[in-house]
């Protein structure tokens, strides 16, 4: 056995420093609507809103750009949230009956959300006057008494405990048990019956020493804490919620039978047996419970009564409704998802006599809806953020950077014409707390999302708030069954209840063929192409005025009359004929339908040549939309590609066919195994001899040991799928003449390069002559490993990617170098390879699968600007793998720069939805309704920077922390944020946190930030770990013997990685 070891060259310190100035990984902000919301709170003084989720996330929103994110350490559902008004403090209740105090604190001029304290109600609590200790205590309701910095906790057993908010410790001697309340009741009411859980706690508006307690059985008690007695008692039906009237002389209760009752507090007799008013709004038939009710007064007369639920059980029991009643006007707001909570924005100043509600905010399971209550008709206020991205399921996405100001203004104008606001509406977005400190974005970025219902939505992705700009719908061009939904949704005046459809969440698509699969936009000519599930390819152009015009229709047969193939999938969409009305915005000019009508898998647009290329699982086509004529159609099907003919909507596979294929594979493996055994020894000797010849003493830089990759079979199913298409002006025929080319890559590792004859436009004319465009096959490359081709890009003589159409001609980008030799970069799922042009000979390659054991899923060329020098930037290749890692490579050298762990490898949908930007950022879906934004650039970072003006009560002290600093912890679904370790307050010291203050130095030593751009770039994912406790640190450190053994193994691994062993 011979052993040859060759050491690698050491890392260049200057290059390592440059990497740190170019690359840095940060998860910055979450765009969209929080997934599975469960609680809502509003601070009327600071004008900020909080949303809690089932995963334990806390999100606080103010003015656009003001956002805070936190995550509870336990993955428990947030059931209730309460602000301490004006203080920037939030008390959260989880479904495990634990309480957590969050504080917005300022550090270095910016505000951060931090968890200060936590409290767990003990399992057994005794109290004075009780016959015995209650069973497990479960908190059902929380009331914050801001004046006394105290919280009242109602429990399932009917007890009320009092908590000091500043310390989250129970106040001794003030616990109110159910037996104490029962003594104040008439004998005939308490005859052996329990009061039930505490359903509602409300502070008294006149006397802060009194609280209103509502029990599930229907008992309402105004309890005097000073005198420890009941001032007033009301006996009603089974209770759901309570609310005071502004003056404090009247209260309203809602009940489980769909009724609500109005009670007068000033009556002298007690107990009160009958309310002043009791009504069932949607009676007389049995109704569902009214889960929450609000009473808001107005100076002009006619108070508001707003409640959720109460619908007739038999007829509309499945509806999600909030009813708004004022005088004789009743509107039943009908939503498409479950109601979580709602609040009103109204005056809370003590000197004001009336509430004067301005807006109603309703949090639903899938969206947030705000209505203007000051305008007749109560219109919806458009939201600047928290838009439901998933109003129809997202099927694709694309990002457009550096959008010209003129195009931006035209898109915004088209969006405003879609949803005009009434002239009488003066109310803007009511949640306006805080100030955004972030600088104005230097460039405008558009995020385009394609949806299942055939719409494309345009989002302002320039800053922290993802704001909707414009919605393009393609369904109007086709004959579908979508129209009947609109006619059914509009209720007539005689209908009862008076339903009004509110909200935009509509996840159902009447025709799945409308789904958008690919989108491409040219920002210089305002033209775009939208491709769908049924093979439809739409070319659209932006118009500022509505038009009525017919759309030209053409079809292209991608099978090219190949025999033996029969399409078994869905039919193609039927376009409408004749002139059609189109609103201002993007209007269709040309429709190309692929035959068979399979889903479009790749599309690209070249507006300077007026060409569009598209590909499906059967082949690809090239279409001239100026002359409205096809140029090229190429079938890429293999004779065994039978699955390609079933279509994406056919989910049933032939069992007989799959068994037959399995037996064929077994037979092939047996035959090939026998052949390999005979020649194994000779091939191994030949391989070792080649390696020995290549190993020279002067060749110090050696590649690490590569994994073995089996070549893919040529008859794999779906091998003809077209994965990418690309236009380029480059050298294909010879090295002296460059011209238009089109490139196509397939699932089987085939690359087709066509030379195009495009008539040149005359001087002073934007359009080219009306001559035929011709396409001639110039090169055909078959990758040896047959891995799917993910992306293709041509590099100029300086190694830079070619500019977009019109980008260089309008002096918006540096003109490409057409003197030196061009090269084409072909990225497959397993490796990157650079070929010289026009010879197409291999120049450089990097086998990612062989080195890292992963496969490429997404690829993009991005420009990384330096934070140290404004004029320095590098163009690199960013790729996302199936393991969720992001790798960055230099171009054209393909040298690994950095790599980070970005997405969990189990999150398949998140990996599939990732899209990179041109400036080193990216987006991916962390839920159906949320995009996570991340940055690979050290300079180009979009993150919330904001501040709040807080007013702490006199003498209030901040909660103490067990750790002064802690690393960034992974927030809700991934966004990092600074979180301080909370100090537990449950009557006994928390063993984990009690040791935190004694061990700050080892913790800082272990968690100190390391160089994120080390030579190996292996363990650089400090920001993507979960909660780190002292116990975790101890497990990491281990004993001294374990540390020495780990260090010894680490040294051996490094030595082994830097050498090649030949046996």
């Amino acid at each position: 056995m011979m052993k040859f070891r060759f050491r690698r060259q050491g890392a260049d310190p200057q290059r390592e420093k440059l990497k740190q100035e170019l690359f840095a990984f940060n998860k910055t902000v979450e765009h969209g609507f929080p997934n599975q919301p469960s609680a809502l709170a509003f601070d009327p003084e600071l004008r900020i809103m909080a949303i809690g989720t089932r995963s334990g996330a806390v999100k606080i929103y103010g003015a656009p750009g003001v956002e805070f994110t936190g995550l509870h350490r336990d993955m428990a559902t947030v059931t209730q949230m309460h602000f301490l008004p004006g203080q920037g403090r939030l008390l959260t209740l989880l479904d495990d009956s634990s309480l957590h105090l969050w504080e917005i604190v300022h550090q270095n001029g910016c505000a951060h959300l931090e968890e200060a304290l936590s409290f767990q109600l003990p399992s057994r609590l005794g109290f004075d006057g009780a016959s015995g200790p209650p069973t497990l205590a479960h908190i059902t309701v929380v009331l914050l008494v801001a004046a006394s910095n105290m919280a009242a906790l109602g429990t399932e057993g009917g007890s009320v405990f009092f908590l000091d908010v500043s310390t989250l410790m129970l106040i001794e001697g003030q616990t109110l048990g159910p037996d104490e309340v029962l003594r104040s009741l008439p004998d005939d009411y308490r005859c052996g019956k329990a009061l039930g859980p505490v359903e509602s706690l409300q502070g008294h508006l006149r006397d802060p020493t009194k609280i209103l307690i509502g029990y599930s059985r229907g008992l309402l008690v105004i309890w005097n804490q000073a005198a420890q007695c009941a001032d007033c008692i009301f006996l009603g039906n089974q209770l759901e919620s309570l609310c005071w009237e502004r003056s404090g002389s009247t209260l309203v209760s809602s009940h489980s039978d769909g009724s609500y009752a109005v009670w007068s507090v000033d009556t002298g007799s007690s107990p009160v047996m009958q309310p002043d008013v009791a009504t069932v709004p949607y009676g007389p038939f049995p109704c569902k419970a009214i889960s929450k009710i609000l009473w808001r007064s107005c100076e002009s007369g006619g108070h508001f009564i707003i409640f959720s639920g109460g619908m007739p059980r038999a007829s509309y029991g499945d509806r999600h409704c909030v009813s708004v009643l004022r005088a004789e006007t009743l509107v039943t707001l009908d939503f498409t998802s479950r109601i979580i909570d709602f609040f009103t924005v109204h005056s809370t100043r003590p000197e004001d006599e009336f509430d004067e509600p301005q807006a109603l905010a309703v949090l639903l399971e899938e969206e947030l809806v705000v209505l203007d209550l000051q305008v007749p008709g109560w219109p919806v206020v458009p939201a600047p953020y928290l838009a439901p991205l998933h109003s129809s399921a997202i099927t694709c996405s694309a990002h457009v950077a550096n959008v010209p100001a003129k195009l931006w203004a035209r898109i915004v104008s088209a969006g405003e014409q879609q949803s005009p606001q009434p002239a009488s509406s003066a109310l803007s977005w009511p949640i306006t707390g805080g100030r955004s400190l972030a600088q104005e974005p230097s460039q405008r970025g558009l995020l385009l999302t394609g949806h299942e219902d055939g719409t494309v939505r345009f989002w302002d992705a320039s800053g922290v708030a993802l704001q909707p700009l414009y919605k393009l719908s393609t369904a109007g061009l086709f004959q579908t069954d979508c129209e009947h939904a609109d006619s059914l949704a509009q209720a007539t005046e005689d209908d009862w209840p008076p339903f009004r459809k509110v909200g935009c969440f509509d996840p159902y698509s009447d025709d799945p063929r409308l789904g958008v699969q690919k989108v491409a936009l040219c920002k210089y000519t305002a033209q775009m192409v939208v491709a769908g599930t049924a093979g439809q390819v739409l070319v659209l152009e932006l118009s500022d005025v509505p038009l009525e015009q017919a759309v030209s229709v053409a079809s292209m047969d991608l099978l090219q009359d190949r025999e033996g193939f029969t399409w078994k999938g869905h039919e193609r969409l039927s376009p409408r004929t004749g002139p059609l009305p189109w609103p201002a915005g993007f209007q269709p000019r040309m429709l190309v339908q692929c035959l068979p009508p399979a889903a479009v898998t790749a599309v690209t647009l070249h507006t300077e040549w007026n060409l569009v290329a598209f590909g499906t699982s059967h082949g690809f086509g090239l279409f001239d939309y100026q002359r409205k004529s096809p140029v090229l159609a190429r079938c890429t099907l293999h004779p065994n590609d039978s699955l390609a003919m079933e279509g994406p909507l056919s989910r049933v596979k032939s069992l007989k066919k799959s068994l037959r294929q399995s037996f064929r594979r077994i037979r092939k493996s047996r035959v090939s195994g026998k052949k390999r055994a005979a020649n194994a020894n000779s091939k191994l000797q030949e391989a070792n001899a080649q390696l020995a010849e290549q190993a020279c003493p002067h060749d110090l830089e050696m590649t690490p040991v590569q994994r073995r990759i089996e070549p893919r079979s040529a008859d794999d199913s779906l091998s003809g799928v077209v994965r990418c298409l690309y236009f380029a002006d480059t050298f294909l025929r010879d090295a002296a003449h460059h011209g238009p080319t089109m490139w196509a890559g397939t699932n089987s590792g085939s690359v087709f390069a066509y030379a195009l004859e495009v008539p040149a436009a005359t001087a002073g004319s934007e359009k080219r002559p009306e001559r035929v465009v011709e396409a001639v096959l110039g090169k055909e490359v078959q990758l040896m490993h047959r891995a799917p081709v993910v992306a293709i890009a041509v590099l100029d003589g300086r190694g830079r990617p070619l500019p977009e159409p019109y980008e260089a001609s309008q002096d918006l980008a540096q003109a490409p170098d057409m003197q030196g030799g061009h090269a084409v970069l072909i990225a497959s799922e397993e490796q990157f390879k650079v070929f010289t042009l026009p010879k197409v000979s291999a120049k450089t390659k990097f086998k990612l699968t062989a080195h890292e054991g992963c496969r490429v899923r997404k690829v993009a060329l991005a420009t990384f600007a330096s934070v140290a020098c404004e004029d320095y930037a590098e163009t690199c290749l960013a790729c996302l793998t199936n393991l969720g890692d992001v790798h960055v490579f230099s171009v054209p050298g393909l040298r690994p720069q950095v790599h980070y762990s970005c997405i969990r490898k189990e999150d398949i949908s998140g990996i599939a939805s990732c899209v990179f930007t041109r400036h080193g950022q990216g987006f991916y879906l962390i839920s159906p309704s949320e995009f996570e934004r991340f940055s690979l650039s050290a300079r180009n970072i979009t993150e919330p920077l904001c501040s709040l003006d807080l007013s702490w009560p006199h003498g209030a002290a901040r909660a103490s922390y067990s750790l002064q600093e802690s690393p960034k912890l992974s927030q809700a679904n991934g966004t990092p944020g600074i979180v301080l370790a909370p100090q537990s307050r449950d009557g006994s010291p928390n063993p984990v946190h009690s040791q935190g203050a004694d061990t700050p130095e080892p913790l800082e030593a272990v968690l100190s930030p390391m160089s994120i751009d080390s030579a190996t770039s292996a363990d650089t994912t400090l920001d993507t770990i979960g909660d780190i406790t002292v116990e975790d640190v101890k497990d990491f450190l281990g004993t001294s013997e374990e540390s020495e053994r780990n260090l010894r193994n680490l040294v051996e691994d490094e030595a082994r990685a830097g050498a090649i062993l030949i046996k």
Side-chain angles (χ1 to χ4, degrees), residues 74 96-100 118-123 137 984-987:
D74 297 325
D96 60 358
S97 286
S98 63
L99 285 167
H100 303 262
S118 63
F119 167 81
Q120 180 70 52
L121 196 65
S123 59
S984 177
R985 296 290 188 183
D986 58 356

Side-chain angles (χ1 to χ4, degrees), residues 852 885-888 897-901 1012-1013 1016-1021:
E852 307 293 340
D885 298 331
V886 176
H887 298 251
V888 179
Q897 301 301 303
V898 290
H899 79 265
Y900 310 100
S901 179
I1012 62 173
D1013 300 319
T1016 57
S1017 299
D1019 300 320
T1020 59
T1021 57

Side-chain angles (χ1 to χ4, degrees), residues 245-247 295-306 324-327 344-347 352-359 373-374 378:
E245 188 263 337
R246 175 83 175 198
S247 64
W295 178 305
R296 298 291 181 253
S297 60
C298 298
E299 186 177 5
S300 58
H303 51 261
F304 280 91
I305 295 181
I306 306 170
V324 182
L325 173 63
R326 186 183 186 188
T344 58
V345 179
H346 60 277
S347 173
D352 291 341
E353 186 179 352
F354 299 96
D355 293 313
E356 298 294 343
Q358 304 169 13
L373 297 181
Q374 296 176 314
W378 305 325

Side-chain angles (χ1 to χ4, degrees), residues 413-604:
S413 175
E416 291 175 348
Q417 295 181 49
Q418 284 184 331
S419 55
Q421 292 299 307
S424 58
S425 179
L427 179 66
S428 58
W429 184 248
I431 303 164
T432 57
R435 300 186 311 276
S436 177
L437 305 179
Q439 297 180 353
E440 284 294 320
S442 58
Q443 54 91 19
R444 295 290 186 180
L446 271 179
L447 181 65
L448 310 180
T449 56
H451 297 264
E452 193 179 35
D453 61 354
T455 59
V456 178
R457 287 172 168 83
F458 291 63
W459 308 89
D460 180 2
S462 310
V464 173
L466 191 70
Q467 186 172 355
L469 297 179
Y470 166 73
K471 183 177 77 170
L472 163 67
S473 178
T474 62
L477 180 60
F478 304 101
Q479 297 178 6
T480 61
D481 298 329
C482 297
E483 293 81 12
H484 72 90
D486 297 333
S487 59
L488 293 178
Q490 300 298 328
T492 62
E493 295 181 359
D494 298 332
D495 286 344
W496 180 263
F499 287 118
R500 173 185 163 192
K501 204 76 174 175
V502 182
C504 61
F505 177 72
D506 185 12
Y508 307 106
S509 175
D510 291 319
D511 197 334
R513 297 176 296 173
L514 291 171
V516 177
Q517 295 296 323
K518 296 293 176 183
V519 176
L521 170 68
C522 176
K523 58 190 177 185
Y524 304 114
T525 60
Q527 295 178 354
M528 70 179 301
V529 57
V530 178
T533 304
Q536 68 271 26
V537 180
L538 268 172
V539 180
L540 306 101
E541 188 172 359
L542 183 61
S543 174
D544 298 327
V545 294
L547 292 176
E548 184 172 344
Q549 62 180 4
V551 178
S552 302
V553 181
S555 61
M556 289 189 68
D557 184 10
L558 300 182
L559 286 182
Q560 295 293 289
D561 300 327
R562 185 173 293 194
E563 297 179 356
F565 292 96
T566 304
W567 174 248
K568 303 175 184 177
H570 49 263
E571 296 293 328
R572 63 177 176 175
L573 288 165
S574 299
R576 298 178 186 272
T577 57
L580 299 173
W582 301 106
F586 282 93
Q587 300 170 349
R589 296 287 187 263
M590 188 74 212
L591 169 64
V592 183
Q593 291 185 313
C594 302
L595 297 177
V600 177
T601 57
V603 74
T604 186

